[in-house]
Amino acid sequence: MGSCSLMVMSRLAVVFGGSRGIGRAVSQLLAQRGHRVVVLSRNKEAAQATAESLPGEKHLGLSCDVSKEENVQKAFETISKTCGTVGYLVNAAGINRDALLLRSKSEDMLSVLHTNLLGSILTCRGALRSMLSHGGAIVNIASSLAIQSQSITFSSDPS
């Protein structure tokens, strides 16, 4: 076995929702493994603070609201110009508006759909542009709430 097969190549990892929770832990692990990490969050200060706390150098923290297509496009333009080709994309950004269906406001449901579903689609599309020619990997992280159901029993008897 040659020494080249043992060498791990450092790649650029982009982590949406990387300033908190699972996204922050993933950012930390990728940096520990020697990858350059771009941390994205709706809160620019939180993204920058996380990037600065990571081991290694040249990590970057950016602001991006994944529910807004123009934010995602701008983020990938910035990443492409300042960091290069995306090797890994991690979608850990998500929101929860925990309420029963009958109590849920339409704007809350749309906000959850735009962030948790559309946001992942938009970021995947943005990353794929560079991954198609250079290869890469995408990891989409979802909450356990995505697979839980609400049981509703109806009765026409008012008593």
Side-chain angles (χ1 to χ4, degrees):
M1 187 185 296
S3 61
C4 289
S5 62
L6 298 175
M7 191 167 59
V8 176
M9 198 165 146
S10 177
R11 299 188 80 173
L12 178 64
V14 175
V15 184
F16 285 88
S19 69
R20 301 181 344 164
I22 293 171
R24 184 180 176 100
V26 170
S27 296
Q28 183 77 28
L29 181 62
L30 288 164
Q32 287 171 355
R33 300 264 170 105
H35 301 288
R36 183 176 182 193
V37 180
V38 179
V39 176
L40 293 107
S41 170
R42 285 180 296 173
N43 182 324
K44 184 176 183 176
E45 292 76 23
Q48 289 174 333
T50 299
E52 290 168 6
S53 75
L54 298 176
E57 298 178 10
K58 297 187 178 181
H59 305 298
L60 181 63
L62 298 174
S63 174
C64 182
D65 182 344
V66 297
S67 71
K68 294 180 169 57
E69 185 173 6
E70 61 278 358
N71 272 211
V72 175
Q73 288 174 344
K74 184 178 176 187
F76 276 105
E77 287 169 9
T78 301
I79 292 165
S80 177
K81 288 176 187 171
T82 61
C83 303
T85 303
V86 177
Y88 302 114
L89 168 66
V90 178
N91 282 312
I95 61 170
N96 180 25
R97 302 284 189 258
D98 197 13
L100 294 174
L101 182 59
L102 291 173
R103 294 184 194 148
S104 296
K105 297 176 185 171
S106 296
E107 56 267 18
D108 287 342
M109 289 186 269
L110 285 172
S111 180
V112 169
L113 283 171
H114 284 165
T115 300
N116 298 359
L117 179 60
L118 181 62
S120 291
I121 293 168
L122 293 172
T123 59
C124 286
R125 184 172 65 185
L128 281 172
R129 290 189 173 104
S130 65
M131 287 184 176
L132 288 174
S133 57
H134 296 92
I138 297 173
V139 176
N140 292 311
I141 299 171
S143 165
S144 62
L145 292 174
I147 57 173
Q148 290 179 348
S149 64
Q150 291 183 358
S151 178
I152 301 172
T153 305
F154 295 99
S155 173
S156 59
D157 183 11
S159 56

